C-alpha cells in the first residue's frame, strides 16, 4: 500500500513538472512570436505608433532641448518623416532614449521598434540586427581652425599634432592614415577641442558627426570635407522584420528622390559643412 502511494506521488510530481514544462514552452513560443511579429503587420491595424530608439545627448542628431523640452536633431526629423510616410501622421512617432550599450538589448526585447541613433553598420552587428540602407555617410575626419592649411589627412606631416581620445579606434585610424604626425590622446573630445583652441594641436580627429557637434556655437573652426574612413549609419530593426524594413528603405529612397532628405540634411548640417568647403 505504501509503495502504491509512493508511486502515485512520484507520478503526480512528474505530471506536475511536465505541465509546467509545457506551459513554459507555450509561453516562450508565444513571447517569441510576439517579439518577432512584423511591425508592419501591427501598423496595418489600429496601433499606428512607432517606437524609435534615439540618443538625447548627441548634438545635431538627437539632443534634448531644455527650452522646448523636446528631443531634436537630424535622426529625430528623419524618424518623424518616416513615421508620417508609413502611418500618415508624424505624431505617431514616439522616442525612447537609448545609449550605445542599451539600444540593441531594448530592440531585441521588443521595447522599441527601430534604432535611429548614430549607429554604424558593421558585420558584427548584422549578425544580431538588420540594417536599413545608409541614411548618413559618417566617417572619420579632422576638425581644424578656419585658417589651417589642412584640407585632407594627406596634408598631415611630422610638423603637425593631432588630438584624439585615449583608446579609441580614432587613435588607431589616425596613426595608420598619418604615420608621420604627432598624436596626443586625451580623455574626451571636449578636452581635445579645448586643447585645440589653446594651441596645443593642429587638429582634432574622430567621427565627423561628433566633430560637427563640436562646431555648434564655435566660430573660427571647420570640419574638412574629406573623410578618411567609412562608417555609414543605418536604421536597425530586429530580425524577422522584413516588411517593416522594406517600408523604411522604400521611404528613405523616396525622401532622397523628392528632395525631403536634402532639406532635413541641410537644416542640420548645411551651414556647418559649408565651413569645410570654403
Amino acid at each position: 500500500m505504501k509503495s502504491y502511494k509512493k508511486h502515485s506521488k512520484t507520478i503526480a510530481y512528474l505530471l506536475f513538472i511536465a505541465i509546467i514544462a509545457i506551459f513554459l514552452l507555450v509561453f516562450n513560443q508565444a513571447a517569441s512570436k510576439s517579439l518577432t511579429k512584423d511591425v508592419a503587420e501591427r501598423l496595418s491595424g489600429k496601433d499606428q505608433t512607432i517606437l524609435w530608439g534615439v540618443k538625447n545627448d548627441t548634438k545635431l542628431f538627437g539632443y534634448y532641448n531644455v527650452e522646448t523640452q523636446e528631443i531634436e536633431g537630424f535622426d529625430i526629423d528623419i524618424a518623424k518623416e518616416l513615421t508620417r510616410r508609413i502611418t500618415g501622421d508624424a505624431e505617431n512617432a514616439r522616442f525612447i532614449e537609448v545609449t550605445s550599450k542599451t539600444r540593441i538589448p531594448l530592440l531585441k526585447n521588443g521595447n522599441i521598434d527601430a534604432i535611429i541613433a548614430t549607429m554604424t553598420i558593421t558585420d558584427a552587428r548584422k549578425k544580431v540586427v538588420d540594417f536599413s540602407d545608409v541614411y548618413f555617410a559618417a566617417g572619420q575626419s579632422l576638425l581644424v581652425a578656419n585658417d589651417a592649411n589642412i584640407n585632407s589627412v594627406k596634408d598631415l606631416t611630422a610638423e603637425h599634432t593631432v588630438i584624439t581620445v585615449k583608446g579609441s579606434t580614432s587613435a588607431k585610424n589616425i596613426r595608420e592614415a598619418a604615420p608621420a604626425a604627432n598624436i596626443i590622446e586625451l580623455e574626451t573630445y571636449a578636452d581635445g577641442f579645448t586643447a585645440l583652441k589653446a594651441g596645443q594641436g593642429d587638429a582634432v580627429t574622430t567621427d565627423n558627426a561628433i566633430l560637427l557637434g563640436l562646431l555648434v556655437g564655435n566660430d573660427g573652426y571647420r570640419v574638412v570635407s574629406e573623410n578618411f574612413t567609412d562608417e555609414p549609419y543605418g536604421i536597425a530593426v530586429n530580425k524577422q522584420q522584413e516588411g517593416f524594413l522594406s517600408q523604411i528603405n522604400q521611404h528613405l529612397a523616396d525622401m532622397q528622390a523628392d528632395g525631403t532628405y536634402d532639406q532635413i540634411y541641410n537644416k542640420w548640417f548645411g551651414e556647418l559643412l559649408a565651413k569645410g568647403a570654403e
Side-chain angles (χ1 to χ4, degrees), residues 141-184:
S141 189
L142 301 168
L143 172 64
V144 300
N146 282 342
D147 59 0
N149 190 26
I150 300 173
N151 297 298
S152 166
V153 71
K154 297 176 183 178
D155 294 331
L156 296 175
T157 68
E159 297 180 357
H160 294 108
T161 297
V162 182
I163 304 164
T164 188
V165 163
K166 292 180 180 179
S168 66
T169 56
S170 298
K172 175 178 177 292
N173 291 339
I174 191 63
R175 285 190 169 90
E176 293 176 353
N182 302 296
I183 309 298
I184 295 177

Side-chain angles (χ1 to χ4, degrees), residues 110-274:
N111 299 106
I112 54 178
D113 298 320
I115 301 169
I116 181 165
T118 62
M119 191 170 179
T120 303
I121 300 171
T122 68
D123 290 336
R125 288 172 178 164
K126 285 181 180 179
K127 296 177 181 178
V128 183
V129 301
D130 287 333
F131 281 101
S132 71
D133 296 332
V134 176
Y135 77 94
F136 185 84
Q140 191 167 336
S141 189
L142 301 168
L143 172 64
V144 300
N146 282 342
D147 59 0
N149 190 26
I150 300 173
N151 297 298
S152 166
V153 71
K154 297 176 183 178
D155 294 331
L156 296 175
T157 68
E159 297 180 357
H160 294 108
T161 297
V162 182
I163 304 164
T164 188
V165 163
K166 292 180 180 179
S168 66
T169 56
S170 298
K172 175 178 177 292
N173 291 339
I174 191 63
R175 285 190 169 90
E176 293 176 353
N182 302 296
I183 309 298
I184 295 177
E185 296 185 48
L186 300 179
E187 293 297 330
T188 69
Y189 289 111
D191 292 339
F193 193 25
T194 298
L196 177 68
K197 290 188 286 187
Q200 297 174 19
D202 302 289
V204 175
T205 186
T206 185
D207 186 290
N208 61 344
I210 296 174
L211 295 179
L212 289 169
L214 292 175
L215 278 184
V216 176
N218 290 289
D219 294 330
Y221 297 87
R222 60 185 170 86
V223 175
V224 302
S225 57
E226 180 183 309
N227 297 336
F228 59 91
T229 66
D230 293 319
E231 300 175 44
Y233 293 164
I235 298 170
V237 302
N238 212 345
K239 294 290 185 179
Q240 302 180 40
Q241 297 290 320
E242 289 82 3
F244 186 41
L245 184 61
S246 178
Q247 288 182 327
I248 290 174
N249 282 333
Q250 182 59 59
H251 290 303
L252 278 176
D254 292 343
M255 289 164 61
Q256 291 171 339
D258 64 25
T260 304
Y261 178 89
D262 288 341
Q263 291 176 6
I264 297 174
Y265 187 89
N266 289 331
K267 170 185 174 181
W268 293 102
F269 307 113
E271 184 176 342
L272 296 173
L273 288 173

